[in-house]
Amino acid sequence: MNTLSAKTRFVTKEEADKQWVVVDATDQPIGRLASKVAKILRGKYKPCFTPNQDCGDNVIIVNASKITFSGKKWTDKQYLTFSGYPGGQHKATPAEMAKRPHGYERMVRHAVKGMLTKGHLGSILLNNLYIYEGAEHKQEAQSPKAIDINTLK
């Protein structure tokens, strides 16, 4: 028996140290913000990362109405939705989405969802994301810590 062999330790849901973090989206490009938030939700910045478990943090995004797009994406990019009926495909640009209620929230959630794993785990992780268009949020009781998203890689 080789005593130097290491046993791989997987973190269970009960052992995961889940934190609450606040991310300010002011003047952040939506894609870069979404990729870093997806890593935080997944738990990839933690040393106890387990690929098949929800060991990431709960993320609160504030000031979602101040996100930016690079280039001409405000008018050229299109978000597609489909109702399931014939002729039920609808298109909207980010400028049109911003005018709708909860438009910025939907844009940020769509970007983060695209960067998470597909399947059941991705939908579970997306439930740990809270997006607010203003500076105030309702999760003060969890005493979240504010992090600077620009310091993460």
Side-chain angles (χ1 to χ4, degrees), residues 67-69 71-77 93-95 98 104 107:
I67 57 170
T68 61
F69 284 92
K72 297 189 291 181
K73 290 190 183 108
W74 276 109
T75 56
D76 292 350
K77 182 178 173 64
T93 63
Y104 287 103
M107 285 190 281

Side-chain angles (χ1 to χ4, degrees), residues 37-141:
V37 167
K39 276 188 174 182
I40 295 170
L41 285 171
R42 186 90 196 274
K44 288 207 164 193
Y45 289 113
K46 293 185 172 187
C48 63
F49 170 68
T50 304
N52 61 346
Q53 291 292 327
D54 177 15
C55 59
D57 294 334
N58 296 312
V59 179
I60 304 163
I61 298 177
V62 294
N63 294 324
S65 60
K66 297 179 183 178
I67 57 170
T68 61
F69 284 92
S70 62
K72 297 189 291 181
K73 290 190 183 108
W74 276 109
T75 56
D76 292 350
K77 182 178 173 64
Q78 290 186 341
Y79 290 100
L80 299 175
T81 57
F82 181 60
S83 67
Y85 289 98
Q89 184 177 22
H90 303 283
K91 300 175 185 176
T93 63
E96 294 168 355
M97 290 277 289
K99 295 175 185 172
R100 296 180 184 173
H102 307 288
Y104 287 103
E105 178 184 344
R106 290 180 184 176
M107 285 190 281
V108 173
R109 189 172 299 278
H110 181 268
V112 173
K113 181 181 179 181
M115 304 208 181
L116 288 173
T117 59
K118 309 313 185 247
H120 187 62
L121 180 62
S123 61
I124 290 172
L125 294 175
L126 201 60
N127 290 333
N128 296 333
L129 178 65
Y130 302 89
I131 304 169
Y132 297 98
E133 295 184 7
E136 293 83 26
H137 60 86
K138 296 188 286 189
Q139 280 79 19
E140 290 93 9

